[in-house]
Amino acid sequence: MKAAQITKYSKKFIVEINDIPVPEINDNEVLVKVRAAAVNHLELLIGTGSVKLIQDYEFPLTLGNELTGVIEKVGKKVQGFIVGDAIYSRLPLQKIGAFAEYAAINVDAIGHLPSNLDFVTGAAAPLTGLTAYQGLHEELAAKSGETVFIPGGSGSFGQMAIPIARSMGLEVIVSGNPQARERTMAAGANRYIDYTTENYWEQLSDVDYVIDTLGPSEFNHELSIIKAGGRLLSLRTGPNKRFAQNLGLSGWKQKLFTIAGAKYDYKAKKKNVQYHFIFVRSDGEQLKKITKIIEDNGIVPAVDPTEFHIEDINEALKLVATGHPKGKVIIQF
């Protein structure tokens, strides 16, 4: 089968298309014929070695973290899925490999493809859906009636986070560009701030939670609008001591992350705010809940119209890295 692989970490890594054997499955896995796979910034972080302290891989490494496909074989202990089922998955961090014609996936990491999505739009849902679900339920432990602000939340993350937050009874405020206002409000946001004409830090105060999608440059502004006792969850700014402890990393890695995140923890503590960082994990049970939210709300993730195939993987990665995709970039098989 064809697989998109790298042979080492590099700041300018190049992906090669190799012919490798179709993987064998164990008793708890399914063999999936891949139909589509999403290309994320996570692939760039993995390829450059930026996350090797969190997860270090053996080479050659088949890239790709989320996919859709059809089950072709099931392991002896697999329950709830049969040959022919259409599935979607955020692959386990320890065993990625969505950019291939086949993937062997633990049954605990898959969910049935939502009935209102096809293979292409479905491939854009699991990673962002799980990030939003784990962020809101686990990291923030958000409760009905509270307020969450998502700066830059008009993109693919917000498409999933807004309806999940609304299903929890949260009030949702989002900032983004004027073109995305109508779409974002239709997804369920209570309020939209156009960043081209308004500064959110001049408009908001005493919000319970902020989910940061923009990175370190916004940290101080985000902190300034959170009430005492609130929480700031970042997808971009960087890991800290709490993250390393929660992940159960080794002692020396915990020390490194403690140092790396110290300035953010210090600033947050001064404001009586908790700083959290998330690195999303696979979870089939949570995918079941996300599937229901997707179906109930008619969510269809935006997908970039450029049609890519596995041979175009380097161009697809370049679009994610330097371009302005109009939704998730998808590899079709």
Side-chain angles (χ1 to χ4, degrees):
M1 68 170 188
K2 291 180 181 177
Q5 298 186 315
I6 58 172
T7 54
K8 64 178 181 178
Y9 299 127
S10 170
K11 292 298 179 188
K12 296 182 179 179
F13 70 92
I14 298 293
V15 184
E16 299 172 351
I17 308 304
N18 295 322
D19 193 21
I20 65 172
V22 173
E24 299 291 329
I25 59 170
N26 65 34
D27 289 350
N28 296 304
E29 291 181 326
V30 296
L31 181 67
V32 173
K33 184 173 177 60
V34 181
R35 296 294 299 272
V39 184
N40 295 282
H41 276 280
L42 182 53
E43 274 74 60
L44 303 172
L45 295 174
I46 290 170
T48 56
S50 300
V51 297
K52 66 181 178 182
L53 287 176
I54 298 170
Q55 179 64 47
D56 200 1
Y57 293 99
E58 294 182 2
F59 297 105
L61 170 67
T62 302
L63 292 173
N65 284 273
E66 61 180 336
L67 57 72
T68 57
V70 177
I71 295 177
E72 291 219 340
K73 285 184 187 176
V74 296
K76 294 176 184 176
K77 296 180 181 178
V78 169
Q79 296 183 339
F81 294 89
I82 60 172
V83 171
D85 280 352
I87 64 95
Y88 69 152
S89 176
R90 186 275 186 260
L91 301 182
L93 188 61
Q94 300 81 7
K95 193 178 181 183
I96 62 172
F99 299 160
E101 292 178 305
Y102 291 89
I105 313 171
N106 192 291
V107 69
D108 291 343
I110 65 174
H112 288 100
L113 185 67
S115 58
N116 62 315
L117 300 183
D118 58 22
F119 288 114
V120 172
T121 54
L127 196 144
T128 47
L130 286 168
T131 302
Y133 191 93
Q134 290 167 19
L136 287 159
H137 282 274
E138 298 173 2
E139 299 292 338
L140 298 181
K143 298 178 178 63
S144 180
E146 295 177 323
T147 301
V148 60
F149 172 56
I150 310 174
S154 59
S156 59
F157 174 75
Q159 282 185 295
M160 296 299 301
I162 293 165
I164 291 172
R166 295 291 288 144
S167 74
M168 297 168 66
L170 294 167
E171 181 176 340
V172 184
I173 306 169
V174 172
S175 70
N177 62 53
Q179 294 80 14
R181 177 188 291 273
E182 193 173 326
R183 182 183 75 232
T184 306
M185 294 299 289
N190 299 89
R191 180 177 173 188
Y192 193 83
I193 297 173
D194 175 357
Y195 82 88
T196 65
T197 60
E198 299 176 285
N199 294 322
Y200 66 79
W201 56 91
E202 295 172 345
Q203 304 289 324
L204 303 176
S205 62
D206 284 343
V207 303
D208 296 285
Y209 311 110
V210 170
I211 302 179
D212 161 56
T213 71
L214 301 175
S217 63
E218 289 297 307
F219 192 83
N220 292 340
H221 285 145
E222 291 164 352
L223 266 187
S224 72
I225 66 169
I226 302 174
K227 66 170 59 170
R231 295 183 178 186
L232 168 56
L233 171 65
S234 182
L235 316 183
R236 296 274 307 270
T237 294
N240 61 346
K241 181 180 181 180
R242 176 181 286 106
F243 171 81
Q245 289 176 335
N246 289 345
L247 219 59
L249 298 179
S250 62
W252 69 271
K253 287 184 180 180
Q254 288 194 27
K255 288 178 182 176
L256 278 178
F257 285 131
T258 297
I259 294 167
K263 67 178 178 180
Y264 302 115
D265 283 336
Y266 175 74
K267 287 180 177 180
K269 190 174 181 180
K270 278 182 71 177
K271 294 275 296 179
N272 191 20
V273 169
Q274 283 188 17
Y275 171 60
H276 292 242
F277 178 78
I278 189 170
F279 203 86
V280 67
R281 68 178 189 281
S282 59
D283 192 312
E285 285 302 311
Q286 290 180 357
L287 278 180
K288 286 182 187 176
K289 297 170 182 174
I290 292 165
T291 294
K292 186 174 188 321
I293 292 169
I294 288 172
E295 292 175 343
D296 289 351
N297 291 275
I299 299 167
V300 180
V303 169
D304 188 88
T306 313
E307 187 170 319
F308 291 106
H309 298 278
I310 192 167
E311 294 82 5
D312 310 311
I313 182 61
N314 287 298
E315 288 81 3
L317 285 163
K318 186 176 180 181
L319 177 60
V320 171
T322 61
H324 295 281
K326 299 176 176 66
K328 272 286 184 83
V329 174
I330 304 293
I331 299 289
Q332 298 184 46
F333 289 83

